[in-house]
Amino acid sequence: MRTRATDARRAAVLGSPIAHSLSPVLHRTAYRELGLDDWSYDRFDVDEEALPGFLGELGPGWAGLSLTMPLKRAVIPLLDEVSETAASVEAVNTVVFTDDGRRVGDNTDIPGMVAALRERGIEQVDSAAILGAGATASSALAALARICTGEVVAYVRSAERAAEMRQWGERLDVEVRTEDWAHAARALRAPLVIATTPAGTTDVLSAAVPERPATLFDVLYDPWPTDLAARWSGYGGAVVSGLDLLVHQAVLQVEQMTGRAPAPLDAMRKAGEQALASR
């Protein structure tokens, strides 16, 4: 049983670099809306080397942690339990501390992606395309395992990345075909396109957006909109942003850490939008 939500508790986001994380804005907004006045949420710059020591120094007042790069995989050996969702992609972005002191890891990025798509009316697709092959791409594949009934085509830059994506597909039971990044413009005609690449990478593709695009899920949120997202929405296509993902995964984190549900999605999103606008 969790400690009562009225008790003073602490939470934080860890990563390196971490200075520009929006997580404190989102979580603090949730606490305020939920009446958890004694709860606090901070950010700490922690790398892989420092992570074991940081965890070892946490006291009983801690409720949970949000994790970003480069800690999502490094934290796994330090946990007492890892959810099936997190294990499926070998990535933990959420740690909850139970009342008996156990550290439980989960991944809210995957259900967060599904929830962000569902909010835009995307419940199921018969095929999809992924731009990129990094850690976020594996989470995208795991999300597609829940909503895509057919083939996923991943556009990648190297044979090594192509092999990794096919391996993830086999592991997640998703039919994955890989294509060279030189043909990435073909991805834009898919019913659902998930862009997982760093800022600026997809700018060159904006000229290839079809006249009637379907749905683009671009995991970036700063700067926003990306050239691709701007052209996509300009042609009337549906666009899901990285902020949508960030908010939905944070909602799930808040619910797990506080034991309160539902978390205030709309208020959290508004706070995130305001924080980005002020940058």
Side-chain angles (χ1 to χ4, degrees):
M1 185 175 179
R2 292 201 55 78
T3 300
R4 289 179 303 137
T6 52
D7 294 341
R9 303 301 300 273
R10 295 188 67 184
V13 60
L14 313 182
S16 186
I18 201 65
H20 295 291
S21 173
L22 283 180
S23 291
V25 171
L26 302 181
H27 285 251
R28 290 169 186 169
T29 297
Y31 297 164
R32 187 164 55 250
E33 293 291 319
L34 293 170
L36 303 178
D37 298 333
D38 291 333
W39 283 59
S40 63
Y41 189 99
D42 302 296
R43 63 166 66 90
F44 294 96
D45 196 302
V46 176
D47 60 17
E48 294 168 283
E49 183 178 355
L51 182 60
F54 185 93
L55 289 177
E57 294 176 0
L58 298 183
W62 282 83
L65 298 170
S66 308
L67 302 176
T68 186
M69 300 304 291
L71 305 178
K72 292 184 179 183
R73 182 168 294 180
V75 74
I76 292 177
L78 307 175
L79 302 176
D80 298 300
E81 181 183 341
V82 175
S83 72
E84 185 176 328
T85 300
S88 72
V89 291
E90 297 180 1
V92 166
N93 77 328
T94 307
V95 176
V96 174
F97 301 105
T98 64
D99 288 347
D100 57 4
R102 299 173 69 249
R103 304 167 178 171
V104 180
D106 193 15
N107 185 308
T108 62
D109 285 332
I110 295 166
M113 283 186 176
V114 174
L117 286 166
R118 183 179 298 120
E119 187 179 35
R120 302 302 174 89
I122 309 300
E123 299 277 353
Q124 188 177 89
V125 292
D126 56 16
S127 63
I130 295 178
L131 299 172
T136 305
S138 63
S139 291
L141 267 182
L144 289 172
R146 303 183 180 193
I147 67 168
C148 184
T149 60
E151 182 182 67
V152 176
V153 183
Y155 292 82
V156 301
R157 292 188 179 277
S158 68
E160 180 182 7
R161 289 293 195 181
E164 289 176 357
M165 287 299 284
R166 289 193 295 269
Q167 289 171 2
W168 279 117
E170 291 177 4
R171 180 168 180 169
L172 296 164
D173 196 24
V174 179
E175 181 184 352
V176 175
R177 176 166 59 87
T178 56
E179 292 278 355
D180 189 89
W181 182 262
H183 305 303
R186 298 175 183 172
L188 308 187
R189 298 188 178 278
L192 171 61
V193 181
I194 305 181
T196 69
T197 53
T201 307
T202 61
D203 289 355
V204 68
L205 299 178
S206 59
V209 174
E211 291 186 3
R212 295 182 179 180
T215 300
L216 170 69
F217 193 157
D218 194 326
V219 302
L220 296 174
Y221 62 84
D222 189 15
W224 186 262
T226 62
D227 286 357
L228 181 60
R231 179 67 67 92
W232 198 278
S233 60
Y235 280 176
V239 175
V240 184
S241 75
L243 181 60
D244 293 319
L245 168 59
L246 188 66
V247 171
H248 276 282
Q249 66 83 28
V251 161
L252 296 170
Q253 289 184 334
V254 168
E255 291 175 353
Q256 289 190 27
M257 293 179 192
T258 68
R260 296 282 193 89
L265 171 67
D266 292 340
M268 294 168 70
R269 191 201 314 275
K270 183 177 180 179
E273 291 172 345
Q274 292 175 340
L276 286 175
S278 68
R279 289 185 177 180

